[in-house]
Structure formats: structure tokens, C-alpha cells
Amino acid sequence: MSAIREDLSSTPKSVVDAIDRRASTGQKTLSFEFFPPKDQDAEASLWRNYSKLLEVAPDFVSVTYGAGGSNRETSLAVVDRMARDVFTIGHLTCVGSTFSGSREIIKHFEQAGVGSILALRGDSPRDQPDALEKGELKTAIELVELVRGESSLEVGVAAFPEKHPESPSLQHDAQVLSLKQNAGASYAMTQLFFSVDAYLEIQAKAIAAGTTLPIIPGVMPISNAAKVLRMAEMSGAAVPADLLRRLQNADEDEARVIGMDYTLQFANDLLAAGAPGLHIFTLNFSKAAIEVAKGCGLA
Ligand code: FAD
């Protein structure tokens, strides 16, 4: 990777185009994930941090979408505003959705200048366990097909280095990735995880299953250890035993140093292992994400 990151003069046409353009000069992509804010204070904080993150020139950003469409309006509003500044991926989920409702959102994204859609199944919320069953779209593959059929937008999909919780095996996940590619997906982004070996394994299995999708690792900076450990538990990501022990025995400040040291090493190792870029889960904050971007030579 070159030490100085070139400022690419124009917006990429797609996520794959961003990856290719960076790769052509030996570089990797930098991107950030945001979620729709829950109240006015959170909204002000999001836009403050977003402005700081734009200063490090990400190749693209993405905005999550609540399964069941609970935050539909806020998510679309955040996407609309970001799409004016930077190449934006809108996440979209199947849970509780109808074909016509999904078509409307796809059209909205196209009109807002969104460059790509991350097509996801989502999970039924705890208080509506049958929400997925009740909706018309049941799997991400159906949503990939719908987006490709309805628009010219690029489509990305989810990948799970530590296996999707409902999947019988990593090999099964790799086969599902291959089906997603056949349905029209162009790239994959991973769930949070903490092991380079896990990334190499899902990538090897995906290739063995016939997949050529670039797999962009999702990296969560461990700046607030308690929060990240909670999220890891929820997503089923295994925290390495030694890291867990060190975080649990440290006070808050020490835990931040330990966590961020680990994140930087992990992120650099992922890039050295061939990852096309880093998608940083910002949790709508900027400091830790910028530390990771700079520490990996991506900013
Ligand atoms: P699918 O690909 O539909 O897979 C779900 C399960 O079904 C898997 O076990 C899979 O193996 C199995 N499966 C799928 N198709 C087949 C098939 N044809 N044959 C056999 N088995 C099959 N959730 C949100 O609500 N909002 C978000 O914005 C959001 N963003 C995310 C971003 C990233 C990068 C990632 C990795 C996840 C995100 N999620 C989000 C979470 C995601 O919705 C859940 O992890 C969900 O459980 C799986 O979604 P999926 O798209 O992988 O589903």
C-alpha cells in the first residue's frame, strides 16, 4: 500500500469501481457506516461527526435501515443528505416488507442519487417474532433480484466470517454468497468480527464455492470496550480469549488503549492479508474511526 493516499478526483461509479480505482494505484478503500439517529441530540451529534469523517475523504459511506422499517423515514433522510456529498450505500431489509413498498424505496434511493444498495434480510424484532414470516420478501437473495430487476443500482450483500447464527456451516454461508452473486450482487460486506483467520476462511470458502465477490471487512473500533463486547455478544462474534481477559481486567482508560491497539493491528493485518478496504462501523462517532483510518494509512 502506498504511504500517501491519493485524493481520487471524481466520485466512484460504484463500490466495485472504488475498489478497482484504489487497487490500480496499490491502495485500499476507506468507508464508514452510520445509523439513523434516535432523537435531536443524537442527530446533531451524527452530523458533527459526519463532517469530521468527511475530512478524511472516505470512498463511500453506508446508512443502516431498521428491520421492519421502524426507522424508515430517518434512515432515508440521512441517506438523502449524505448522497449529496459522497457515494452512499443505502441498506435495505426484507423483514415485514412488501414488494411494492420495497420498489418505492428503491426508486427513492435512485432519485436521491444513492449509488448502491446493501440488500439484507434483517431479523424479526424481539417484540414481533413473526415479522419476517408476515412480510412478502423472505431472503436477501429475493431483495437482490428485486433491486436488480427494478433499477440499475449496484447491489451488495452481507457476509459472515464467523458464520451466520442460523446457518449450519461456513460452507453453507459461502454457497449462499455464491447464490447472491448469481442473483446480481457485486460485493459483500462483513458482520463485525475480530480474527483475520476468520476473514481468510470465509474468503477461501467463498472462492471454493465459485464466488468472486470482493469481501469488504467490517471493522468496529474497540474504543468503548463495554459497548463493543455487548455488540459482539449480540451478533455472535467471538472475542479472542486473551483480548477479552485483558479488557475485563482494565479500567475504562486502559481498556480503550488495549482495544484500539488491537483494532489497529487487526485492521492492518486484514489489509495485509488482501482485504480490498475497510468499512468502519462508526456508531456515529468520529474519533476512533479516524484513528483507525490514519493508523492504517487510509487517511
Ligand atoms: P440472508 O442472506 O437471507 O440469510 C439469512 C439466513 O438464511 C442465513 O443463515 C443463510 O445461510 C440462509 N439462507 C439465505 N438464503 C438461502 C438459500 N437460498 N438457501 C439456504 N439458506 C439460505 N440488519 C438490519 O436490520 N439493518 C441493517 O441495516 C443491517 N445492516 C447490516 C450490514 C452488514 C454489513 C451485515 C453483515 C449485517 C447487517 N444487518 C442489518 C444484519 C442482517 O440483516 C442479519 O445478520 C440477518 O440475520 C441476515 O441477513 P442476510 O442479508 O445475510 O440474510
Short mmCIF file of all heavy atoms in Angstrom, two decimals, residues 33 63-67 91-93 118-123 138-141 157-160 164-168 172-173 176 179-180 189-191 279 281, ligand 1:
data_model
loop_
_atom_site.label_atom_id
_atom_site.label_comp_id
_atom_site.label_asym_id
_atom_site.label_seq_id
_atom_site.Cartn_x
_atom_site.Cartn_y
_atom_site.Cartn_z
N GLU A 33 -19.77 3.34 8.21
CA GLU A 33 -21.20 3.03 8.38
C GLU A 33 -21.80 3.93 9.47
O GLU A 33 -21.18 4.15 10.51
CB GLU A 33 -21.38 1.56 8.78
CG GLU A 33 -22.84 1.19 8.96
CD GLU A 33 -23.05 -0.23 9.45
OE1 GLU A 33 -22.86 -1.16 8.68
OE2 GLU A 33 -23.42 -0.38 10.64
N VAL A 63 -25.60 3.65 5.29
CA VAL A 63 -26.57 4.01 6.33
C VAL A 63 -27.48 2.82 6.59
O VAL A 63 -28.10 2.30 5.66
CB VAL A 63 -27.43 5.23 5.90
CG1 VAL A 63 -28.38 5.62 7.02
CG2 VAL A 63 -26.56 6.41 5.49
N THR A 64 -27.56 2.39 7.85
CA THR A 64 -28.37 1.20 8.16
C THR A 64 -29.87 1.52 8.08
O THR A 64 -30.29 2.69 8.09
CB THR A 64 -28.04 0.64 9.56
OG1 THR A 64 -28.42 1.59 10.54
CG2 THR A 64 -26.56 0.31 9.70
N TYR A 65 -30.64 0.44 8.03
CA TYR A 65 -32.10 0.55 7.89
C TYR A 65 -32.71 -0.46 8.86
O TYR A 65 -32.36 -1.64 8.83
CB TYR A 65 -32.48 0.19 6.45
CG TYR A 65 -33.93 0.31 6.12
CD1 TYR A 65 -34.46 1.52 5.65
CD2 TYR A 65 -34.79 -0.79 6.25
CE1 TYR A 65 -35.80 1.62 5.34
CE2 TYR A 65 -36.14 -0.68 5.92
CZ TYR A 65 -36.64 0.53 5.47
OH TYR A 65 -37.96 0.63 5.15
N GLY A 66 -33.59 -0.01 9.74
CA GLY A 66 -34.14 -0.91 10.75
C GLY A 66 -35.03 -1.98 10.14
O GLY A 66 -35.87 -1.67 9.30
N ALA A 67 -34.81 -3.24 10.55
CA ALA A 67 -35.66 -4.31 10.05
C ALA A 67 -37.10 -4.00 10.46
O ALA A 67 -37.37 -3.62 11.59
CB ALA A 67 -35.20 -5.64 10.64
N HIS A 91 -28.73 0.85 3.07
CA HIS A 91 -29.08 -0.53 3.45
C HIS A 91 -30.59 -0.68 3.28
O HIS A 91 -31.35 0.28 3.48
CB HIS A 91 -28.76 -0.79 4.93
CG HIS A 91 -27.31 -0.74 5.28
ND1 HIS A 91 -26.77 -1.44 6.35
CD2 HIS A 91 -26.26 -0.08 4.73
CE1 HIS A 91 -25.47 -1.20 6.43
NE2 HIS A 91 -25.14 -0.36 5.46
N LEU A 92 -31.02 -1.88 2.94
CA LEU A 92 -32.46 -2.14 2.83
C LEU A 92 -32.71 -3.57 3.33
O LEU A 92 -31.90 -4.47 3.05
CB LEU A 92 -32.90 -1.99 1.36
CG LEU A 92 -34.39 -2.02 1.08
CD1 LEU A 92 -35.13 -0.94 1.88
CD2 LEU A 92 -34.65 -1.77 -0.42
N THR A 93 -33.80 -3.76 4.08
CA THR A 93 -34.07 -5.10 4.64
C THR A 93 -35.41 -5.65 4.15
O THR A 93 -36.27 -4.92 3.68
CB THR A 93 -34.09 -5.04 6.19
OG1 THR A 93 -35.10 -4.11 6.60
CG2 THR A 93 -32.76 -4.60 6.76
N LEU A 118 -27.31 -2.06 -0.11
CA LEU A 118 -26.89 -3.28 0.59
C LEU A 118 -28.17 -4.06 0.91
O LEU A 118 -28.98 -3.62 1.73
CB LEU A 118 -26.12 -2.93 1.87
CG LEU A 118 -25.37 -4.09 2.51
CD1 LEU A 118 -24.22 -4.58 1.62
CD2 LEU A 118 -24.81 -3.70 3.87
N ALA A 119 -28.37 -5.16 0.19
CA ALA A 119 -29.62 -5.92 0.30
C ALA A 119 -29.50 -6.95 1.41
O ALA A 119 -28.69 -7.88 1.34
CB ALA A 119 -29.92 -6.60 -1.03
N LEU A 120 -30.34 -6.79 2.44
CA LEU A 120 -30.25 -7.62 3.64
C LEU A 120 -31.59 -8.24 3.97
O LEU A 120 -32.63 -7.65 3.65
CB LEU A 120 -29.83 -6.74 4.83
CG LEU A 120 -28.52 -6.00 4.63
CD1 LEU A 120 -28.58 -4.64 5.30
CD2 LEU A 120 -27.36 -6.82 5.13
N ARG A 121 -31.56 -9.36 4.65
CA ARG A 121 -32.82 -9.92 5.11
C ARG A 121 -33.32 -9.18 6.35
O ARG A 121 -34.48 -8.86 6.46
CB ARG A 121 -32.65 -11.41 5.46
CG ARG A 121 -33.96 -12.08 5.80
CD ARG A 121 -33.75 -13.39 6.52
NE ARG A 121 -33.25 -13.20 7.85
CZ ARG A 121 -32.98 -14.18 8.69
NH1 ARG A 121 -33.16 -15.43 8.32
NH2 ARG A 121 -32.53 -13.94 9.90
N GLY A 122 -32.37 -8.89 7.28
CA GLY A 122 -32.78 -8.33 8.58
C GLY A 122 -33.27 -9.45 9.49
O GLY A 122 -33.33 -10.62 9.08
N ASP A 123 -33.57 -9.12 10.72
CA ASP A 123 -34.07 -10.10 11.70
C ASP A 123 -35.37 -9.57 12.28
O ASP A 123 -35.51 -8.35 12.48
CB ASP A 123 -33.04 -10.27 12.84
CG ASP A 123 -31.73 -10.84 12.33
OD1 ASP A 123 -31.77 -11.90 11.68
OD2 ASP A 123 -30.69 -10.21 12.57
N LYS A 138 -38.56 -12.74 1.78
CA LYS A 138 -38.10 -13.61 2.88
C LYS A 138 -36.59 -13.72 3.00
O LYS A 138 -36.07 -14.02 4.08
CB LYS A 138 -38.65 -15.04 2.71
CG LYS A 138 -40.13 -15.12 2.47
CD LYS A 138 -40.91 -14.93 3.75
CE LYS A 138 -42.39 -15.22 3.50
NZ LYS A 138 -43.27 -14.36 4.26
N THR A 139 -35.86 -13.57 1.90
CA THR A 139 -34.40 -13.70 1.98
C THR A 139 -33.74 -12.57 1.19
O THR A 139 -34.33 -11.98 0.28
CB THR A 139 -33.87 -15.03 1.41
OG1 THR A 139 -34.01 -15.00 -0.01
CG2 THR A 139 -34.57 -16.24 1.99
N ALA A 140 -32.47 -12.33 1.56
CA ALA A 140 -31.72 -11.27 0.89
C ALA A 140 -31.64 -11.52 -0.62
O ALA A 140 -31.66 -10.57 -1.40
CB ALA A 140 -30.32 -11.18 1.50
N ILE A 141 -31.59 -12.80 -1.01
CA ILE A 141 -31.47 -13.10 -2.45
C ILE A 141 -32.67 -12.52 -3.21
O ILE A 141 -32.51 -11.95 -4.29
CB ILE A 141 -31.36 -14.62 -2.68
CG1 ILE A 141 -30.03 -15.13 -2.11
CG2 ILE A 141 -31.48 -14.97 -4.16
CD1 ILE A 141 -29.85 -16.63 -2.13
N VAL A 157 -24.14 -7.34 -0.52
CA VAL A 157 -24.81 -8.26 0.40
C VAL A 157 -23.95 -8.47 1.64
O VAL A 157 -22.78 -8.10 1.67
CB VAL A 157 -25.08 -9.62 -0.29
CG1 VAL A 157 -26.14 -9.49 -1.36
CG2 VAL A 157 -23.80 -10.22 -0.84
N ALA A 158 -24.56 -9.12 2.65
CA ALA A 158 -23.85 -9.37 3.91
C ALA A 158 -23.05 -10.67 3.82
O ALA A 158 -23.44 -11.61 3.14
CB ALA A 158 -24.88 -9.47 5.04
N ALA A 159 -21.92 -10.68 4.55
CA ALA A 159 -21.13 -11.92 4.69
C ALA A 159 -20.77 -12.08 6.16
O ALA A 159 -20.70 -11.09 6.90
CB ALA A 159 -19.86 -11.81 3.85
N PHE A 160 -20.54 -13.33 6.56
CA PHE A 160 -20.39 -13.62 7.99
C PHE A 160 -19.15 -14.47 8.25
O PHE A 160 -19.20 -15.70 8.18
CB PHE A 160 -21.66 -14.35 8.51
CG PHE A 160 -22.89 -13.50 8.38
CD1 PHE A 160 -23.61 -13.47 7.18
CD2 PHE A 160 -23.30 -12.67 9.41
CE1 PHE A 160 -24.71 -12.65 7.03
CE2 PHE A 160 -24.40 -11.84 9.27
CZ PHE A 160 -25.12 -11.84 8.08
N HIS A 164 -23.19 -17.21 9.86
CA HIS A 164 -24.47 -16.62 10.25
C HIS A 164 -25.09 -17.51 11.34
O HIS A 164 -25.05 -18.74 11.24
CB HIS A 164 -25.42 -16.53 9.03
CG HIS A 164 -26.71 -15.85 9.37
ND1 HIS A 164 -27.84 -16.52 9.72
CD2 HIS A 164 -27.01 -14.52 9.46
CE1 HIS A 164 -28.80 -15.65 9.99
NE2 HIS A 164 -28.32 -14.43 9.84
N PRO A 165 -25.65 -16.88 12.39
CA PRO A 165 -26.17 -17.68 13.52
C PRO A 165 -27.14 -18.79 13.11
O PRO A 165 -27.20 -19.84 13.77
CB PRO A 165 -26.86 -16.65 14.40
CG PRO A 165 -26.31 -15.32 14.01
CD PRO A 165 -25.79 -15.44 12.61
N GLU A 166 -27.91 -18.60 12.03
CA GLU A 166 -28.88 -19.65 11.65
C GLU A 166 -28.30 -20.65 10.65
O GLU A 166 -29.00 -21.59 10.24
CB GLU A 166 -30.11 -19.00 10.98
CG GLU A 166 -30.91 -18.12 11.90
CD GLU A 166 -31.79 -17.15 11.11
OE1 GLU A 166 -32.24 -17.48 10.00
OE2 GLU A 166 -32.00 -16.03 11.61
N SER A 167 -27.07 -20.42 10.23
CA SER A 167 -26.52 -21.26 9.16
C SER A 167 -25.86 -22.51 9.74
O SER A 167 -25.24 -22.46 10.80
CB SER A 167 -25.49 -20.42 8.39
OG SER A 167 -24.74 -21.26 7.56
N PRO A 168 -25.98 -23.66 9.06
CA PRO A 168 -25.36 -24.89 9.58
C PRO A 168 -23.83 -24.86 9.50
O PRO A 168 -23.17 -25.51 10.29
CB PRO A 168 -25.93 -26.00 8.69
CG PRO A 168 -26.40 -25.32 7.45
CD PRO A 168 -26.79 -23.92 7.84
N HIS A 172 -21.93 -23.52 4.00
CA HIS A 172 -23.30 -23.16 3.59
C HIS A 172 -23.37 -21.65 3.32
O HIS A 172 -23.92 -21.21 2.30
CB HIS A 172 -24.29 -23.56 4.68
CG HIS A 172 -25.70 -23.11 4.43
ND1 HIS A 172 -26.60 -23.87 3.72
CD2 HIS A 172 -26.34 -21.97 4.74
CE1 HIS A 172 -27.75 -23.20 3.63
NE2 HIS A 172 -27.62 -22.05 4.25
N ASP A 173 -22.77 -20.85 4.23
CA ASP A 173 -22.76 -19.39 4.04
C ASP A 173 -22.09 -19.04 2.72
O ASP A 173 -22.53 -18.13 2.01
CB ASP A 173 -21.98 -18.72 5.18
CG ASP A 173 -22.82 -18.54 6.44
OD1 ASP A 173 -24.04 -18.69 6.35
OD2 ASP A 173 -22.24 -18.27 7.49
N VAL A 176 -24.39 -19.66 -0.07
CA VAL A 176 -25.41 -18.61 -0.14
C VAL A 176 -24.81 -17.35 -0.78
O VAL A 176 -25.47 -16.69 -1.61
CB VAL A 176 -25.99 -18.30 1.27
CG1 VAL A 176 -26.86 -17.06 1.26
CG2 VAL A 176 -26.79 -19.50 1.78
N LEU A 179 -24.92 -17.83 -4.40
CA LEU A 179 -26.28 -17.61 -4.94
C LEU A 179 -26.58 -16.10 -5.03
O LEU A 179 -27.23 -15.64 -5.98
CB LEU A 179 -27.33 -18.28 -4.05
CG LEU A 179 -27.29 -19.82 -4.00
CD1 LEU A 179 -28.31 -20.34 -2.98
CD2 LEU A 179 -27.58 -20.40 -5.38
N LYS A 180 -26.08 -15.36 -4.04
CA LYS A 180 -26.31 -13.90 -4.06
C LYS A 180 -25.59 -13.28 -5.26
O LYS A 180 -26.11 -12.37 -5.90
CB LYS A 180 -25.83 -13.27 -2.75
CG LYS A 180 -26.71 -13.61 -1.54
CD LYS A 180 -26.11 -13.06 -0.24
CE LYS A 180 -27.08 -13.20 0.92
NZ LYS A 180 -26.54 -12.71 2.20
N MET A 189 -20.12 -7.29 2.29
CA MET A 189 -19.56 -6.60 3.47
C MET A 189 -19.81 -7.49 4.67
O MET A 189 -20.88 -8.09 4.78
CB MET A 189 -20.32 -5.30 3.71
CG MET A 189 -19.75 -4.17 2.97
SD MET A 189 -20.67 -2.73 3.44
CE MET A 189 -19.77 -1.57 2.48
N THR A 190 -18.84 -7.51 5.59
CA THR A 190 -18.99 -8.48 6.68
C THR A 190 -19.63 -7.89 7.94
O THR A 190 -19.58 -6.69 8.18
CB THR A 190 -17.62 -9.07 7.11
OG1 THR A 190 -16.93 -8.09 7.90
CG2 THR A 190 -16.80 -9.52 5.93
N GLN A 191 -20.14 -8.81 8.71
CA GLN A 191 -20.56 -8.56 10.08
C GLN A 191 -19.30 -8.27 10.89
O GLN A 191 -18.20 -8.62 10.46
CB GLN A 191 -21.25 -9.83 10.61
CG GLN A 191 -21.84 -9.76 11.98
CD GLN A 191 -22.87 -8.65 12.12
OE1 GLN A 191 -22.48 -7.48 12.21
NE2 GLN A 191 -24.14 -9.00 12.14
N HIS A 279 -14.42 -1.19 6.02
CA HIS A 279 -15.68 -0.49 6.27
C HIS A 279 -15.78 -0.34 7.78
O HIS A 279 -15.93 -1.33 8.50
CB HIS A 279 -16.85 -1.32 5.72
CG HIS A 279 -18.14 -0.57 5.66
ND1 HIS A 279 -18.30 0.60 4.95
CD2 HIS A 279 -19.36 -0.81 6.24
CE1 HIS A 279 -19.55 1.04 5.06
NE2 HIS A 279 -20.20 0.20 5.84
N PHE A 281 -17.36 0.60 11.26
CA PHE A 281 -18.64 0.84 11.95
C PHE A 281 -18.40 2.00 12.92
O PHE A 281 -17.74 1.82 13.95
CB PHE A 281 -19.07 -0.41 12.72
CG PHE A 281 -19.26 -1.63 11.85
CD1 PHE A 281 -18.65 -2.83 12.16
CD2 PHE A 281 -20.07 -1.59 10.72
CE1 PHE A 281 -18.82 -3.96 11.37
CE2 PHE A 281 -20.25 -2.72 9.92
CZ PHE A 281 -19.63 -3.90 10.25
P1 FAD B 1 -29.88 -13.94 4.15
O1 FAD B 1 -28.82 -13.88 3.14
O2 FAD B 1 -31.29 -14.02 3.69
O3 FAD B 1 -29.54 -15.19 5.11
C1 FAD B 1 -30.27 -15.46 6.29
C2 FAD B 1 -30.10 -16.94 6.64
O4 FAD B 1 -30.77 -17.72 5.65
C3 FAD B 1 -28.65 -17.42 6.64
O5 FAD B 1 -28.47 -18.37 7.63
C4 FAD B 1 -28.48 -18.02 5.26
O6 FAD B 1 -27.47 -19.04 5.27
C5 FAD B 1 -29.86 -18.59 4.99
N1 FAD B 1 -30.20 -18.56 3.56
C6 FAD B 1 -30.39 -17.46 2.78
N2 FAD B 1 -30.68 -17.82 1.52
C7 FAD B 1 -30.67 -19.18 1.49
C8 FAD B 1 -30.89 -20.16 0.48
N3 FAD B 1 -31.22 -19.80 -0.77
N4 FAD B 1 -30.76 -21.47 0.80
C9 FAD B 1 -30.44 -21.83 2.05
N5 FAD B 1 -30.24 -20.96 3.07
C10 FAD B 1 -30.35 -19.65 2.79
N6 FAD B 1 -29.81 -5.65 9.72
C11 FAD B 1 -30.73 -4.66 9.71
O7 FAD B 1 -31.84 -4.85 10.19
N7 FAD B 1 -30.44 -3.43 9.16
C12 FAD B 1 -29.24 -3.15 8.60
O8 FAD B 1 -29.04 -2.04 8.10
C13 FAD B 1 -28.24 -4.15 8.63
N8 FAD B 1 -27.01 -3.93 8.10
C14 FAD B 1 -26.10 -4.94 8.04
C15 FAD B 1 -24.86 -4.70 7.45
C16 FAD B 1 -23.92 -5.72 7.37
C17 FAD B 1 -22.58 -5.45 6.70
C18 FAD B 1 -24.21 -7.01 7.89
C19 FAD B 1 -23.20 -8.11 7.82
C20 FAD B 1 -25.43 -7.25 8.51
C21 FAD B 1 -26.38 -6.22 8.60
N9 FAD B 1 -27.63 -6.44 9.18
C22 FAD B 1 -28.57 -5.43 9.19
C23 FAD B 1 -27.94 -7.70 9.87
C24 FAD B 1 -28.60 -8.77 8.94
O9 FAD B 1 -29.81 -8.31 8.46
C25 FAD B 1 -28.77 -10.04 9.76
O10 FAD B 1 -27.50 -10.56 10.09
C26 FAD B 1 -29.65 -11.14 9.16
O11 FAD B 1 -29.80 -12.19 10.14
C27 FAD B 1 -29.07 -11.82 7.94
O12 FAD B 1 -29.16 -11.04 6.84
P2 FAD B 1 -28.70 -11.59 5.39
O13 FAD B 1 -28.89 -10.48 4.48
O14 FAD B 1 -27.38 -12.23 5.48
O15 FAD B 1 -29.81 -12.72 5.17
#
